[in-house]
Amino acid sequence: MGDRANSYPRRYFLKSAIAGATGLGALALAGRGPKQRRAAAAEFQKPGNHHLAWVWQFDHGTDGTIEKVRSHLAFYGVGIILKTHDGTNWMARYDRNPTAVTGGAKVRELASFFETGGVPFHAWCVVKGLDPIREAHMCAEVLANGARSMVLDLEPSDGGSFWQGTPEAARAFGAELRRLHPHAWISVAPDPRPWQVEQVPMREFAAFSNEIAPQTYWPTFNSSANHRLLRERGFHVGPEGVTPELILDVAKAVFGEYWMPIRPVGSGNADPGSWHRFVDHARRLDMWAVSVWRFGTANPVVFDVLNEKKPLPNEFYGNDWDFLYKSQPPSDNFASPPPPAANLTPAPELPVAGALGGAKEATSPRQGIEDLDRAPAREGKASPQPARRFRSFWANPTGATR
């Protein structure tokens, strides 16, 4: 990554975080001409120009009221990633709060609420792969109604809570989603521990995604079983156990081959000192923006850290990549998803490069995160593709053979 970054002009790294600096984009544009306002708005909306906070449900007992979440995130200049659906079910199936997502119209209402309040609006879902075409249409509906990006929670099944499909289902999902939204920003959020990655079709998802958001939960992963398994995979576990630096190094080693931007997800309930270390080490690894799981359980001081250490301009989110990220304006013409197909024809693997969610009434994107000491399955759901250097647009913008 370092050698590649050095091949880019300095202007990639000297861009200011224009409107994203305070999170109050509308106020930051005041007093500028139309051209400057358009340029500033475009800069602010890029997903790399603001840290993000995950929200599962709006309620006093979970993440807080919708008004509280908006005002807090706007004050600290942080965007929201809101859960919209789980598999083929909108969140209203699990959440009786009137703010729960029931479909595209509700997404549009929520997107407008947050965006007009100065909070960039992103969405997440759990992908399961049992009805990939329907799932792709639901993600497309979310994007068509105002979400700046779609984050896909990709984790091993854990008894049916997460991914249960095949690599072919993953390719079909990606092909349909990209057919509907070829320029949408898609992020895939896997568990970075190698034995977990082996149980999901990571290569298939990376083929149509733009970004990887590994779930780097250093306090939760700090168990004797994880220490042993990480050592078996060649990672040095020191006296501190699983630290922010170690889990970020693991994520870099596991996902670096895809040559995409990596936005790690940190444990919101961790102490502020470890959060400073987390963001600082992420920057050293060219991970310029991060997110926090989740708003309702985060240490309040974490948002001070995010406000202090704002995302830095970087090559992946620069203006030259605009054609790969275009916000999806609300649309009245989005077609309702068709009924599930009786026979699914696997779609070919997509050539474009490089997504989170967790439902089943879950409070974490890691539904089975408490059961960390059990030995992971090493067979079954891993992609049958041979190990190879992933070649994507991000690795090779010119299209030359590596």
Side-chain angles (χ1 to χ4, degrees):
M1 179 73 76
D3 292 340
R4 180 171 178 268
N6 291 336
S7 67
Y8 284 81
R10 289 186 65 204
R11 62 189 172 85
Y12 280 99
F13 306 95
L14 298 178
K15 293 172 183 173
S16 63
I18 304 178
T22 65
L24 302 178
L27 295 178
L29 301 182
R32 302 184 183 184
K35 183 176 181 180
Q36 289 78 11
R37 287 198 298 271
R38 284 195 298 272
E43 190 72 14
F44 178 56
Q45 76 176 359
K46 296 195 186 81
N49 281 352
H50 42 265
H51 297 307
L52 300 170
W54 296 77
V55 170
W56 174 51
Q57 294 180 10
F58 295 116
D59 200 349
H60 293 285
T62 50
D63 287 307
T65 64
I66 189 170
E67 294 81 10
K68 173 187 174 182
V69 172
R70 184 177 74 169
S71 62
H72 193 84
L73 295 181
F75 181 82
Y76 286 99
V78 176
I80 183 175
I81 314 178
L82 176 66
K83 186 170 185 184
T84 55
H85 60 285
D86 189 273
T88 57
N89 296 310
W90 296 109
M91 276 304 290
R93 173 167 179 175
Y94 313 101
D95 181 6
R96 302 308 177 191
N97 191 289
T99 56
V101 174
T102 54
K106 192 64 177 182
V107 171
R108 184 183 311 189
E109 175 187 326
L110 292 166
S112 175
F113 176 82
F114 281 96
E115 293 283 346
T116 57
V119 178
F121 181 84
H122 302 260
W124 68 283
C125 73
V126 170
V127 285
K128 295 188 175 181
L130 298 178
D131 189 348
I133 302 304
R134 168 71 180 173
E135 290 186 52
H137 276 261
M138 292 179 72
C139 289
E141 187 169 355
V142 172
L143 289 163
N145 282 281
R148 296 183 178 201
S149 72
M150 191 76 233
V151 190
L152 310 174
D153 186 359
L154 179 65
E155 302 180 54
S157 174
D158 190 39
S161 299
F162 295 97
W163 182 259
Q164 301 168 65
T166 61
E168 290 75 22
R171 288 194 289 270
F173 171 85
E176 183 66 3
L177 181 55
R178 282 306 183 187
R179 182 185 71 81
L180 295 168
H181 284 291
H183 300 299
W185 190 269
I186 307 297
S187 180
V188 58
D191 182 329
R193 293 174 294 172
W195 55 91
Q196 296 287 339
V197 177
E198 290 167 2
Q199 297 182 65
V200 296
M202 183 63 205
R203 292 188 180 278
E204 287 76 7
F205 272 83
F208 63 83
S209 297
N210 306 100
E211 178 186 71
I212 300 174
Q215 300 175 34
T216 47
Y217 304 141
W218 63 95
T220 308
F221 294 163
N222 195 20
S223 70
S224 58
N226 281 301
H227 297 175
R228 173 177 56 81
L229 292 167
L230 287 169
R231 290 188 181 108
E232 289 177 0
R233 298 305 179 102
F235 295 100
H236 174 70
V237 181
E240 288 187 87
V242 178
T243 63
E245 294 84 0
L246 173 58
I247 196 62
L248 286 170
D249 288 341
V250 170
K252 182 76 168 183
V254 171
F255 302 120
E257 66 172 298
Y258 297 109
W259 284 89
M260 283 185 285
I262 297 176
R263 180 203 295 270
V265 189
S267 299
N269 59 359
D271 64 278
S274 65
W275 260 88
H276 280 284
R277 293 168 55 184
F278 175 66
V279 178
D280 288 343
H281 194 65
R283 288 179 172 185
R284 287 192 287 271
L285 297 177
D286 295 335
M287 305 173 188
W288 303 115
V290 303
S291 66
V292 54
W293 173 264
R294 62 183 165 84
F295 183 89
T297 59
N299 186 323
V301 184
V302 167
F303 292 97
D304 290 314
V305 177
L306 297 181
N307 187 49
E308 174 188 342
K309 300 176 183 290
K310 293 181 174 65
L312 300 175
N314 63 93
E315 59 182 287
F316 288 119
Y317 298 109
N319 284 335
D320 293 79
W321 308 107
D322 277 353
F323 72 98
L324 282 177
Y325 175 71
K326 297 180 180 178
S327 61
Q328 303 297 322
S331 171
D332 292 318
N333 299 319
F334 183 82
S336 299
N343 297 302
L344 174 64
T345 301
E349 184 173 358
L350 297 178
V352 290
L356 197 74
K360 192 189 103 173
E361 301 140 279
T363 58
S364 163
R366 284 276 312 126
Q367 183 73 37
I369 207 167
E370 301 83 2
D371 191 16
L372 293 175
D373 286 324
R374 67 184 177 190
R378 295 178 182 265
E379 300 178 357
K381 293 195 181 245
S383 168
Q385 289 187 322
R388 59 178 172 81
R389 188 77 173 167
F390 184 80
R391 182 163 61 86
S392 70
F393 178 88
W394 297 104
N396 209 358
T398 62
T401 303
R402 288 181 63 85

